[in-house]
Amino acid sequence: MVFSVFLQGSAGSAQAGRPVRPVRDSRAGRAGRGFRLVGAALTALTVAVVATGCGGDSASPAGQAADKKGSPAGADRVEPLAGQPAQRLPVTVDSADGKKVTVGSADRIVPLTGSLSEIVFTLGLGDKVVARDVTATFEQAEKLPVVTRGHDVSAESVLSLKPTLVLAETVSGPAESLQQIRDAGIPLVVVKTAKSLDDVGTRIDAVAATLGVPAAGDALKTRTESRLAAVRKDIPEPADGKKPRVAFLYLRGTASVYLLGGAESGAASLLEAAGAVDAGKESGLTKDFTAITSEALAKAAPDAILVMSKGLDSVGGIDGLVKIPGVAQTPAGMDRRVVSVPDGVLLNYGPRTDEVLTSLVEQLYAGGK
């Protein structure tokens, strides 16, 4: 995965406990675009952000580091468990929408979000997946047909692939499409959307139970929790005793949407696990997202800004980001400190969350201890 800190400012302005890794902004010099706040789109976009892990399109992130199996640089891959898990079907499971669903076959699986796809592939059942959401950008899934874009499920496209099981999240929709799939007799299981690190094991358990591979689920949960614990164990204390304040901004310049994450954005748990303070949450923003204003950013006073890589591109890179009202006046804006993470992985809260957390720690503390 691609993770990079963009720091353009005086080297002498770097302070302990704040992102200090200097990386040249490849988008420097690109003209900043005009910005305007559009409040009407906030509700719909917020749902899409949560549903897709803030994914944006089907393009695979470039320049990613080698995975744990030694894949070459540039690969965006999940790391499946060794061997093919033994399935025990049929099973009857509780769907997060209150229904009981009996699954008789998992030979043709359609996960409706990239996060669910990641879990299925990592459990070792990727060869049974026949379609993907636009946010499933990892290498093993990239050639599958796209049948959904988060909150825009195409029932016709899903049904045309003759699935034996469809996996959805609580924010998948529209409801009419999901009902159409069920009316066609296809088992559809809804998994609760993740909002924090505490949801990682629960989601793995839910997917594994639905696929009839509970033992593989236990193994993956153990592996994931162990890796997360290892990362958290090595988080350094900031030299000045002050935790870095990080504001999560959701940006879609092409749609003139600029949002500041609050307590329910999904980023708070990850930032806190990395030893940082979620600046939006700490400043009193209790909702998931709110329109960016100069006043809100001044109150948040972030030392660094966390963004999705495609969101950063959509506003013209850092040159465009600092032109958003209020950004340039924050400590992060003045020092041009921006942590950029690929859209499809930041809020997945799944088998690769340890990699996301590792990168955040490395970036925020310039390589850790």
Side-chain angles (χ1 to χ4, degrees), residues 194-200 228 232 235 248 262-278 281 306 346-347 349 353 357 360:
K195 282 293 190 77
S196 74
L197 286 172
D198 292 337
D199 297 324
V200 173
L228 284 168
R232 300 177 80 164
I235 295 175
F248 173 39
E264 298 298 319
S265 73
S269 176
L270 193 61
L271 289 172
E272 290 164 3
V277 173
D278 185 318
K281 174 183 175 181
L306 172 63
L346 178 64
L347 301 182
Y349 288 114
T353 298
L357 185 58
L360 288 177

Side-chain angles (χ1 to χ4, degrees), residues 120-206:
V120 176
F121 272 84
T122 311
L123 286 168
L125 295 171
D127 60 334
K128 299 181 183 296
V129 177
V130 297
R132 68 180 178 95
D133 174 67
V134 70
T135 60
T137 59
F138 54 91
E139 183 178 303
Q140 294 100 318
E142 64 183 0
K143 293 183 179 179
L144 293 171
V146 175
V147 296
T148 174
R149 292 178 179 272
H151 204 62
D152 187 17
V153 177
S154 170
E156 292 79 9
S157 296
V158 171
L159 293 173
S160 71
L161 294 167
K162 297 179 170 43
T164 60
L165 171 64
V166 174
L167 297 172
E169 296 200 20
T170 46
V171 290
S172 297
E176 294 79 9
S177 292
L178 302 187
Q179 189 58 50
Q180 186 176 343
I181 293 170
R182 277 182 166 149
D183 288 345
I186 309 301
L188 186 150
V189 177
V190 179
V191 179
K192 187 176 179 181
T193 299
K195 282 293 190 77
S196 74
L197 286 172
D198 292 337
D199 297 324
V200 173
T202 301
R203 285 167 60 79
I204 291 174
D205 281 341

Side-chain angles (χ1 to χ4, degrees), residues 177-366:
S177 292
L178 302 187
Q179 189 58 50
Q180 186 176 343
I181 293 170
R182 277 182 166 149
D183 288 345
I186 309 301
L188 186 150
V189 177
V190 179
V191 179
K192 187 176 179 181
T193 299
K195 282 293 190 77
S196 74
L197 286 172
D198 292 337
D199 297 324
V200 173
T202 301
R203 285 167 60 79
I204 291 174
D205 281 341
V207 174
T210 300
L211 299 176
V213 291
D218 289 341
L220 179 56
K221 185 170 65 172
T222 298
R223 187 185 84 177
T224 304
E225 291 176 347
S226 175
R227 290 176 175 179
L228 284 168
V231 178
R232 300 177 80 164
K233 178 182 177 182
D234 290 333
I235 295 175
E237 291 293 329
D240 59 3
K242 296 180 180 179
K243 295 182 177 182
R245 296 173 59 85
V246 184
F248 173 39
L249 303 188
Y250 183 77
L251 311 171
R252 282 298 179 263
T254 53
S256 297
V257 176
Y258 313 100
L259 307 177
L260 171 60
E264 298 298 319
S265 73
S269 176
L270 193 61
L271 289 172
E272 290 164 3
V277 173
D278 185 318
K281 174 183 175 181
E282 198 274 340
S283 69
L285 298 178
T286 58
K287 299 190 300 181
D288 41 17
F289 291 91
T290 188
I292 291 175
T293 64
S294 297
E295 293 77 14
L297 284 173
K299 189 173 183 180
D303 300 309
I305 291 173
L306 172 63
V307 294
M308 298 295 184
S309 55
K310 293 183 179 64
L312 186 61
D313 287 341
S314 77
V315 299
I318 292 182
D319 285 342
L321 175 62
V322 296
K323 290 183 172 67
I324 296 176
V327 171
Q329 287 70 49
T330 65
M334 287 186 282
D335 288 334
R336 299 170 75 90
R337 289 190 173 96
V338 179
V339 179
S340 177
V341 179
D343 299 44
V345 295
L346 178 64
L347 301 182
N348 273 4
Y349 288 114
R352 292 196 289 176
T353 298
D354 68 289
E355 298 176 27
V356 177
L357 185 58
T358 295
S359 178
L360 288 177
V361 171
E362 290 177 348
Q363 293 182 63
L364 290 171
Y365 303 99

